[in-house]
């Protein structure tokens, strides 16, 4: 397994629509393994394929031991009152913002063996699933912020982005302790 470089805000791959995975092959399973390795090295709780420069529609999450690799995931049901909570993103390091989302979602997709899987989740897992599935459609958490909050998030990013030439963030395992490790998706 390998830790892959993470693409940061500004890389066009983060704004592209992904392509559905036609079959869950060994190559896809290798990508899933590398994405878990990368997510753990970066101390994140979720990671979507575009964040490692790939266009396959898949993501991985590990929220308090609830571990899923989801191929072609889609939200089939969103319910409950909207809830607001702070989010961050491995592709926009050191930038955080409050995002309002449905409190409970049901997601369907395929697992690493190509078998159908359905997950219903609320709380942090439900939020993480929505954040990762957004990535698969070129959407980022900053898109939800109000005009003023988005402007200040982007100003903060402006100060950070020079650390990531070519929009690439190299992860050194254990080298960086996030300020908000539970919120990096
Ligand atoms: Zn993210």
């Amino acid at each position: 397994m390998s830790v892959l470089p993470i693409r940061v805000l500004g890389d066009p791959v983060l704004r592209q629509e992904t392509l559905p995975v036609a079959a869950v092959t060994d190559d896809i399973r290798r990508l899933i393994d590398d994405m878990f390795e990368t997510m753990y090295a970066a101390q994140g709780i979720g990671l979507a394929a575009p964040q490692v420069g790939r266009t396959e529609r898949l993501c991985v999450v590990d929220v308090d031991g609830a571990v899923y690799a989801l191929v072609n995931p889609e939200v089939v049901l969103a319910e409950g009152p909207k809830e607001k909570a702070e989010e961050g993103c491995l592709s926009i390091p050191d930038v955080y913002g409050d995002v309002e989302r449905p409190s409970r979602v049901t997601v369907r997709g395929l697992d690493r063996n190509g078998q159908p899987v359905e997950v219903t989740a609320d709380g942090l897992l439900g939020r993480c699933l929505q954040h990762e599935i957004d990535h698969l459609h070129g959407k980022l958490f900053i898109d939800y912020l109000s005009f003023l909050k988005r402007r200040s998030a982007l100003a903060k990013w402006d100060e950070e982005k020079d650390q990531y030439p070519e929009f690439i963030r190299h992860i050194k395992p254990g080298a960086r302790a996030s300020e908000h490790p539970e919120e990096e998706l």
Side-chain angles (χ1 to χ4, degrees):
M1 285 192 282
S2 340
V3 174
L4 306 171
I6 292 181
R7 307 304 175 94
V8 300
L9 184 62
D11 189 319
V13 74
L14 292 175
R15 291 304 195 176
Q16 282 171 23
E17 181 70 21
T18 52
L19 303 170
V21 173
V24 185
T25 59
D26 285 345
D27 280 347
I28 293 292
R29 279 184 278 275
R30 197 164 307 123
L31 175 58
I32 288 170
D33 290 342
D34 288 347
M35 285 173 58
F36 272 118
E37 187 87 347
T38 304
M39 180 186 80
Y40 290 128
Q43 302 180 337
I45 60 172
L47 188 70
Q51 295 182 274
V52 292
R54 301 284 292 244
T55 56
E56 290 91 342
R57 189 165 297 163
L58 71 91
C59 63
V60 298
V61 305
D62 181 345
V63 176
D64 299 327
V67 180
Y68 296 96
L70 294 168
V71 176
N72 301 337
E74 51 183 325
V75 175
V76 294
L77 185 64
E79 55 191 335
K82 289 202 167 185
E83 279 177 2
K84 196 182 262 195
E86 188 175 65
E87 293 186 21
C89 181
L90 293 172
S91 292
I92 320 175
D94 301 312
V95 173
Y96 302 89
D98 285 337
V99 178
E100 196 174 74
R101 297 187 186 271
S103 54
R104 171 187 287 262
V105 287
T106 298
V107 171
R108 273 187 209 141
L110 301 175
D111 67 14
R112 62 178 291 127
N113 298 311
Q115 296 301 307
V117 57
E118 182 176 295
V119 188
T120 298
D122 54 15
L124 187 56
L125 178 58
R127 177 168 294 276
C128 182
L129 289 168
Q130 293 176 75
H131 178 116
E132 301 315 328
I133 291 171
D134 276 351
H135 271 300
L136 301 177
H137 302 291
K139 188 155 189 173
L140 302 171
F141 84 89
I142 53 171
D143 302 346
Y144 292 95
L145 304 180
S146 67
F147 176 77
L148 288 174
K149 291 201 167 145
R150 187 163 197 265
R151 193 169 67 176
S152 86
L154 290 173
K156 168 90 167 125
W157 175 244
D158 229 41
E159 295 166 13
E160 304 286 334
K161 67 178 188 214
D162 289 347
Q163 300 171 51
Y164 309 102
E166 314 281 316
F167 308 119
I168 287 178
R169 174 182 176 195
H170 295 283
I171 303 295
K172 297 182 200 81
R176 175 180 178 273
S178 165
E179 279 175 71
H180 309 239
E182 72 285 1
E183 291 151 4
E184 301 249 316
L185 312 141

